[in-house]
């Protein structure tokens, strides 16, 4: 039995997980509350918090998995993309740990890992995993892309955002409403009580399978700014409707291109991944496509936002191929 330790530290969550092959044994995530009052992630504070969290988080992950560090077969870590200072903490830890244990070190691309999270299985609840080829809409705070997978590591980006990511659109809209960071989950929560048709926004008209969210954000900003001049309590009086409407606009934009991608490729195994795949409206919208013959794959909530289990599963597939990193591997901040 091979146990893989995954380490994730690309943004503001410090996470460690243990997988037995693709079976989840533990997935520990330390969120960093320090950013809430700043309205976004402060890179310098994130690195510092990772440094404080990393060892306790790894110890807890091993303890919860019920194994000792000597039982590990390999250490997988996020090499990028992400915040450089944050990545340096996980990278340095993973290197030292693998070196000390004399086991292979495996580098993982964070965006690939979000997609491969669909292959994590649970001893208690058997589930279907996507078959190749499949499409995945990866929507997070930093990325929005449609990828086509022919194999675990053969991923072609067939559509991407040309400006803001979908998660950023959620977070910026939330900030306009005075909600704390990250605002996506709060928009989801308040939107459940609101009318998604209450407010209309200009929809982007972008070529091919690409996305744009900056116009939507501006349209939202102008609406709120203009209405506040008329009614200073406009936000409080309309919070649920505003959240439901902006969420609906983001989901319609995401789904339009995803449907186009399915029609163009003829691929009907479709997955969603990344932090925004936790959104209840997006989950509902994609599930509705089952009526059109899609086989839909939605990740468990714990594997939507940043987590180390996805790094460990990606690491396991690389372990099988003996695709190991050497100790000179340095993090990268942007996707190649
Ligand atoms: O994948 P992730 O944890 O980090 C990145 O790699 O960026 O995604 C975080 C993003 C944030 O923008 C957050 O607001 C958004 O995912 N998010 C949501 C929900 N849960 C998290 N957005 C909308 N609805 C949610 N329920
Ligand atoms: Zn992510």
């Amino acid at each position: 039995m091979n146990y893989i330790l995954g380490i994730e530290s690309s943004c503001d969550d410090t996470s460690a997980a243990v997988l037995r092959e693709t079976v989840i044994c533990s997935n520990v995530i330390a969120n960093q509350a320090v950013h809430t009052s700043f309205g976004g992630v402060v890179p310098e504070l994130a690195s510092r918090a990772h440094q404080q969290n990393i060892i306790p988080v790894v110890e807890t992950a091993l303890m919860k998995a019920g194994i000792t560090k000597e039982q590990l077969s390999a250490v997988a870590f996020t090499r990028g993309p992400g915040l450089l200072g944050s990545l340096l903490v996980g990278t340095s830890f993973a290197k030292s740990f693998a070196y000390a244990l004399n086991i292979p070190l495996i580098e993982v691309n964070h965006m690939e890992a979000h997609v491969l999270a669909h292959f994590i299985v649970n001893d208690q609840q058997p589930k279907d995993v996507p078959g190749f080829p499949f499409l995945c809409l990866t929507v997070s705070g930093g990325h929005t892309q449609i990828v086509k997978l022919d194999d675990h590591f053969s991923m072609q980006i067939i559509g991407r955002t040309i400006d803001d990511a979908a998660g950023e659109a959620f977070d910026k809209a939330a900030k306009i409403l005075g909600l704390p960071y990250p605002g996506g989950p709060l928009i989801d929560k308040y939107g459940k009580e609101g009318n998604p048709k209450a407010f209309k926004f200009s929809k982007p008209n972008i070529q091919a399978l690409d996305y744009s969210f900056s116009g939507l954000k501006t349209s939202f900003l102008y609406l709120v700014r203009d209405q506040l001049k008329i009614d200073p309590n406009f936000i409080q009086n309309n919070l649920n409707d505003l959240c439901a409407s902006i969420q609906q606009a983001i989901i319609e934009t995401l789904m339009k291109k995803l449907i186009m991608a399915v029609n163009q490729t003829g691929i009907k195994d479709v997955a969603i991944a990344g932090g925004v795949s936790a959104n209840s409206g997006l989950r509902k919208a994609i599930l509705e496509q089952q009526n059109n013959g899609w086989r839909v794959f939605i990740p468990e909530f714990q594997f939507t936002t940043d987590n180390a289990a996805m790094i460990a599963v990606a690491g396991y597939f690389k372990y099988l191929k003996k695709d190991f990193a050497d100790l000179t591997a340095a993090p990268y901040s942007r996707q190649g």
Side-chain angles (χ1 to χ4, degrees):
M1 277 299 163
N2 291 302
Y3 286 99
I4 311 289
L5 174 71
I7 305 285
E8 156 64 27
S9 72
S10 66
C11 191
D12 59 337
D13 294 313
T14 319
S15 181
V18 175
L19 259 65
R20 191 180 68 249
E21 324 242 286
T22 60
V23 180
I24 185 85
C25 300
S26 65
N27 184 36
V28 179
I29 305 171
N31 305 114
Q32 302 181 356
V34 65
H35 309 286
T36 313
S37 56
F38 292 94
V41 176
V42 185
E44 202 61 16
L45 297 179
S47 319
R48 218 176 293 172
H50 283 306
Q51 196 68 265
Q52 289 166 344
N53 294 340
I54 188 89
I55 290 179
V57 163
V58 171
E59 278 183 344
T60 311
L62 288 168
M63 191 191 71
K64 285 196 167 171
I67 63 161
T68 63
K69 56 186 184 305
E70 288 76 20
Q71 286 174 269
L72 291 170
S73 302
V75 181
F77 71 101
T78 309
R79 186 171 167 198
L83 300 171
L84 206 64
S86 290
L87 290 164
L88 274 168
V89 178
T91 305
S92 306
F93 175 85
K95 281 185 189 179
S96 327
F97 210 53
Y99 187 56
L101 293 170
N102 197 22
I103 55 176
L105 176 71
I106 300 171
E107 63 173 75
V108 171
N109 175 296
H110 181 87
M111 297 311 294
E112 289 183 354
H114 267 302
V115 182
L116 295 175
H118 284 283
F119 294 94
I120 303 169
V121 295
N122 188 317
D123 261 346
Q124 276 79 49
Q125 286 168 318
K127 63 161 198 179
D128 282 344
V129 297
F132 297 110
F134 73 95
L135 297 179
C136 186
L137 172 68
T138 313
V139 267
S140 70
H143 297 267
T144 294
Q145 51 191 220
I146 302 175
V147 290
K148 175 174 168 281
L149 279 93
D150 291 314
D151 181 6
H152 291 113
F153 295 103
S154 161
M155 298 191 194
Q156 188 194 352
I157 300 172
I158 58 174
R160 52 161 40 117
T161 182
I162 59 165
D163 42 52
D164 292 351
E168 228 176 324
F170 271 106
D171 295 339
K172 284 180 176 171
K175 198 171 180 180
I176 293 168
L177 296 176
L179 300 173
Y181 176 86
L186 293 170
I187 297 224
D188 193 356
K189 179 177 158 205
Y190 296 127
K192 283 189 183 126
E193 312 295 324
N195 173 9
K197 294 196 179 118
F199 301 101
K200 289 263 172 283
F201 310 103
S202 61
K203 293 270 164 54
N205 191 10
I206 304 298
Q207 287 216 317
L209 298 174
D210 287 340
Y211 288 109
S212 164
F213 288 100
S214 68
L216 190 59
K217 174 199 66 194
T218 311
S219 165
F220 187 71
L221 176 68
Y222 288 172
L223 169 102
V224 173
R225 188 194 60 185
D226 294 346
Q227 292 298 319
L228 278 175
K229 285 181 196 150
I230 303 163
D231 170 13
N233 293 323
F234 173 71
I235 295 178
Q236 292 92 309
N237 292 341
N238 297 278
L239 185 62
N240 295 345
D241 286 351
L242 283 164
C243 289
S245 302
I246 189 71
Q247 173 168 309
Q248 185 63 20
I250 295 171
I251 294 168
E252 277 175 18
T253 307
L254 289 171
M255 288 306 296
K256 183 177 160 194
K257 295 299 174 83
L258 190 58
I259 291 169
M260 264 171 74
V262 168
N263 292 340
Q264 276 179 24
T265 59
I267 298 171
K268 291 199 164 187
D269 267 24
V270 188
I272 48 172
V276 180
S277 69
N279 184 268
S280 61
L282 180 61
R283 288 174 166 240
K284 189 162 161 268
I286 191 167
L287 281 170
E288 277 166 9
Q289 294 300 324
Q290 287 177 327
N291 298 330
N292 294 328
W294 293 19
R295 228 160 60 100
V296 172
F297 298 91
I298 292 184
E300 256 181 62
F301 281 109
Q302 62 165 328
F303 305 137
T304 55
T305 45
D306 291 346
N307 66 88
M310 68 185 195
I311 305 304
V313 79
Y316 173 64
F317 293 127
K318 285 194 160 187
Y319 180 78
L320 292 179
K321 298 199 303 174
K322 295 198 172 20
D323 185 353
F324 302 143
D326 67 42
L327 292 172
T328 61
Y332 53 87
S333 57
R334 294 182 160 274
Q335 193 163 26

